[in-house]
Amino acid sequence: MGKFFCPIFKRNVYLTEFEQVQDKLTRISPKLPPQLRKAAAFLLENPGEIATQSMRKISTASGVTLSNYARLAKVVGYEKYNDLRDVYRRQVHLKTSDRYPERADRLQSSGKISGDEGVWSSFKQSALKNVEAAYSQVDVRLVASVAERLLERDQIYISGMQASSPLIDYFHYVGGMAVPKFKLLGRRGGIIADDLVDLNEQDALLCLAIQPCARTTIEVAELAYQRGVYVVGITDSRISPLAAYSTDILLTSCDSPLFFESYVGVTAILELLVGFMTTRAGPDAVKRIRQIEADRQRMGEYWDTGKGGRQT
């Protein structure tokens, strides 16, 4: 171990050594003892810190002893923790030119070189590619199965923080029109723990987290996983830290010429999932949507351009 690059062929994707480590940590994490699982979670969520901080600082930040990190390195297949850390150092070195400021700088440079038409074309191609990737990475049978399993649960908790929050709000809004089981986490002043008090194995949790993943989302998924809850993770990689605590994973692509990740593919996945849930929810879903429509019209919540104003 410790080589710079040792790709293997898995799921039709070549994995670098860093990706192999993250993939193995994701797969073995749920079966590890508590302290090793905590250390594995820190590695999955904080590759930058692993690469740049001393072992002692990592221990303090994560609350895991030095000896447990040494033990985890051996479990993954490295003789020493420093050998494992070198993998993260090389990866971070490769990624240093891929931070948000550098992406913004590249975007501006691209605009100067290719002009408005070139920028427009790059965004168009990126959006189309992300939608196509979302549909190619998610099998129709998996989406159908996820929709059915969600509908079988008593409550469908949904979680997404930071940039994912607006998309989760959208999913809650649209999905809730057809299915009255949705429960959005964090609405009461951003407090999550209070919303989770009744979460149990009869419920489901859907989490959205695009790398770099919001820590709270991963912690919510871990808690639910430990309670035996059916967890659906929507993320951009099988080696995402969210994958370790997901029963089913819906993958999307988030590449973009913008300085931030694209959520076009995420939107496609969410709409697809709501669509499959609606097809399986039966006449109650149609009755519920019809009632919502009638109530909105009665309350004058639509602007009817054909009548020159609000409906009353």
Side-chain angles (χ1 to χ4, degrees):
M1 304 296 283
K3 296 180 180 178
F4 176 63
F5 183 77
C6 53
I8 60 172
F9 196 69
K10 181 178 181 181
R11 300 190 187 100
N12 298 321
V13 178
Y14 280 99
L15 299 184
T16 65
E17 186 176 7
F18 169 76
E19 290 171 332
Q20 290 181 55
V21 170
Q22 294 287 88
D23 183 62
K24 185 170 184 178
L25 287 172
T26 298
R27 288 185 285 104
I28 69 174
S29 180
K31 303 175 184 179
L32 294 174
Q35 284 299 303
L36 291 188
R37 185 167 64 244
K38 191 174 180 180
F42 194 86
L43 264 71
L44 286 167
E45 296 172 30
N46 305 279
E49 285 78 357
I50 296 299
T52 60
Q53 301 294 326
S54 69
M55 190 175 180
R56 190 171 299 278
K57 287 185 178 180
I58 293 298
S59 175
T60 301
S62 62
V64 179
T65 63
L66 301 178
S67 60
N68 278 311
Y69 276 101
R71 289 172 57 199
L72 181 63
K74 290 183 179 295
V75 170
V76 177
Y78 291 84
E79 187 66 27
K80 300 177 182 178
Y81 171 78
N82 284 340
D83 295 334
L84 175 59
R85 185 175 63 174
D86 284 343
V87 176
Y88 285 79
R89 283 179 169 174
R90 289 191 290 268
Q91 178 67 17
V92 169
H93 176 72
L94 290 173
K95 292 290 186 179
T96 52
S97 62
D98 202 32
R99 298 180 184 274
Y100 295 145
E102 284 74 20
R103 292 185 194 177
D105 184 62
R106 288 201 302 273
L107 177 59
Q108 289 186 350
S109 298
S110 174
K112 293 176 182 178
I113 296 172
S114 60
D116 291 344
E117 290 294 327
V119 173
W120 184 89
S121 178
S122 66
F123 274 87
K124 174 184 175 181
Q125 295 303 318
S126 173
L128 293 175
K129 179 181 177 181
N130 285 331
V131 172
E132 177 61 31
Y135 276 88
S136 65
Q137 292 182 107
V138 176
D139 185 89
V140 60
R141 292 167 296 182
L142 174 59
V143 178
S145 173
V146 169
E148 291 168 0
R149 295 187 70 177
L150 289 175
L151 289 172
E152 292 171 354
R153 294 320 199 248
D154 292 343
Q155 294 283 330
I156 303 171
Y157 291 76
I158 52 179
S159 176
M161 308 298 168
Q162 300 175 10
S164 298
S165 180
L167 276 297
I168 284 296
D169 283 342
Y170 169 75
F171 183 68
H172 176 260
Y173 180 84
V174 178
M177 291 180 65
V179 180
K181 295 184 177 185
F182 287 89
K183 184 171 183 178
L184 183 61
L185 296 176
R187 280 203 159 184
R188 292 185 290 179
I191 297 175
I192 302 295
D194 292 9
D195 293 340
L196 295 171
V197 63
D198 297 318
L199 179 68
N200 61 66
E201 65 276 2
Q202 301 304 317
D203 300 318
L205 170 70
L206 183 141
C207 287
L208 170 59
I210 301 300
Q211 298 186 87
C213 300
R215 178 186 295 274
T216 302
T217 302
I218 307 306
E219 291 176 345
V220 168
E222 180 181 11
L223 182 150
Y225 185 91
Q226 292 172 350
R227 291 187 186 179
V229 174
Y230 172 59
V231 181
V232 178
I234 300 179
T235 187
D236 58 329
S237 172
R238 292 188 183 278
I239 58 173
S240 160
L242 178 59
Y245 307 111
S246 298
T247 314
D248 282 318
I249 304 171
L250 301 178
L251 287 177
T252 184
S253 176
C254 63
D255 293 337
S256 174
L258 189 65
F259 56 84
F260 206 79
E261 286 73 30
S262 170
Y263 278 75
V264 173
V266 171
T267 303
I269 293 295
L270 292 176
E271 290 184 349
L272 185 65
L273 188 54
V274 172
F276 270 76
M277 293 179 71
T278 303
T279 64
R280 285 158 168 74
D284 286 344
V286 178
K287 180 179 179 182
R288 179 177 173 83
I289 294 171
R290 183 176 288 116
Q291 184 63 56
I292 291 173
E293 179 84 358
D295 290 344
R296 287 179 176 180
Q297 291 180 355
R298 180 178 178 180
M299 298 294 293
E301 293 181 353
Y302 285 138
W303 191 273
D304 189 342
T305 56
K307 297 182 178 180
R310 292 184 186 275
Q311 284 187 293
T312 58

